[in-house]
Structure formats: structure tokens, C-alpha cells
Amino acid sequence: MKQRMRRGTGIPGGARTGIRAAVAAGLALVTVATVSGCAFGRPRVKVPVSFPSPTYSSSYDASASSSYEPTYSPSPTQATYDPDGRSDARGSNCDFSDSLRQFTYTVSITNPSMDDSFSYDMAVNWMKAKPADGKAYGLHERSIIVGPGDTETYTAKYTVNQSSIGQFWFTCEITRAHKTRM
């Protein structure tokens, strides 16, 4: 096994380490000062303590501003509407017929607009009530057009494909009434 011995270059080992550490510290300090923006002086900006008060001309014509007319006026047909039309729909007579094995629900849709007709993409679900686990017994979908200020009423129906049905709990729910301007 060979051992190596390092011979110095005339500078004691402690001095060399100290010089290297001083150079590294100086470079680090310059880098930090440059990155943080301290290496170069920034110009100082003087902000006036008070601004001069504005001056007014005595030749101002007040009648000139009253003749201004706006160039844009929104028309009533451009009024925005909420595409969720469930607030326009009401349901009643939630029922199930044992003899027909059929769910029914009467749905009335009133168009609140006096200018526009709307198409309503409707969905009615008959949901399990006990337990209310979010499952549906049936779904009825229909699109219906309602004129301005009119009310349309229809009966949503869903027939169950089971031959015998025991006692069960259900609710009727309008789950969708997507509203589109015609």
C-alpha cells in the first residue's frame, strides 16, 4: 500500500484554506447583493409634498355636456336569463297506480318572459323515499316549448316492468328543466 504525502507550495495549509474561504465568501456576498438589487444604486425619486390645486377656466359651457347621448342601448330581447328553468316548473299529484304499475306526476311550466318563447328540456324522477339513498325508480324526459307569459301543463309517466310490486315509499322530483331561448 502506497501512502502519498502532499508537499506545500510555500503557503502554509491554514493560510490557503483561509484565502479560499475569503474568496468564496466574497463571491457569495456579491451574488446575493446583485440578486437582491443592492449592488447597484437606484435613483431616488422625489415625491412632491402637495400637488398644486387645479385651475378652472371661466369659459366652461355647462350646456355642452347636456347634449350627450349614449351610443349603445341594450334592447329588451338581449336580457339575460338563467338556463336552469326549475324555478319556472311546478309539480303536483305525485302518484302510483297499482293496476297500471305506473308512476304519474303533473308538471306545469310557466314562462316568466313576456317577449321570448323558451324550450324546456325536462326530466322527472320518481325517487326512493325510504331509505332516501338517491336511487330512482323511474325517469321521464320531455322537451316542451312555452310561449311568452304562457303556462303549459302535462302529465309525466313511467311504467314499472315488474308484475307484482309490494308497498314502497317514493317521491316525485323535477331534476332538470334546461331552458333555451327560441
Side-chain angles (χ1 to χ4, degrees), residues 43-174:
R44 293 191 174 218
V45 178
K46 272 190 147 180
V47 178
V49 175
S50 65
F51 292 99
S53 35
T55 57
Y56 297 99
S57 170
S58 61
S59 63
Y60 174 71
D61 184 11
S63 64
S65 64
S66 63
S67 65
Y68 171 75
E69 292 181 22
T71 57
Y72 172 76
S73 175
S75 71
T77 58
Q78 293 174 339
T80 59
Y81 69 94
D82 185 3
D84 184 359
R86 286 181 291 180
S87 62
D88 301 349
R90 301 282 180 262
S92 60
N93 303 325
C94 180
D95 198 15
F96 180 77
S97 168
D98 287 326
S99 60
L100 297 173
R101 297 187 323 268
Q102 189 175 67
F103 289 103
T104 56
Y105 193 45
T106 305
V107 178
S108 296
I109 306 162
T110 302
N111 181 353
S113 172
M114 293 300 162
D115 300 318
D116 297 316
S117 294
F118 287 98
S119 172
Y120 291 84
D121 181 25
M122 303 295 297
V124 173
N125 275 31
W126 290 270
M127 308 294 291
K128 285 175 93 175
K130 291 184 182 178
D133 59 3
K135 292 184 181 175
Y137 290 118
L139 169 68
H140 172 87
E141 295 178 301
R142 177 179 180 177
S143 289
I144 189 165
I145 296 174
V146 184
D150 289 343
T151 299
E152 296 290 333
T153 302
Y154 72 95
T155 302
K157 298 177 183 178
Y158 180 79
T159 304
V160 178
N161 292 328
Q162 295 174 335
S163 58
S164 66
I165 297 175
Q167 185 178 4
F168 62 98
W169 301 88
F170 64 97
T171 61
C172 300
E173 192 177 321
I174 298 171

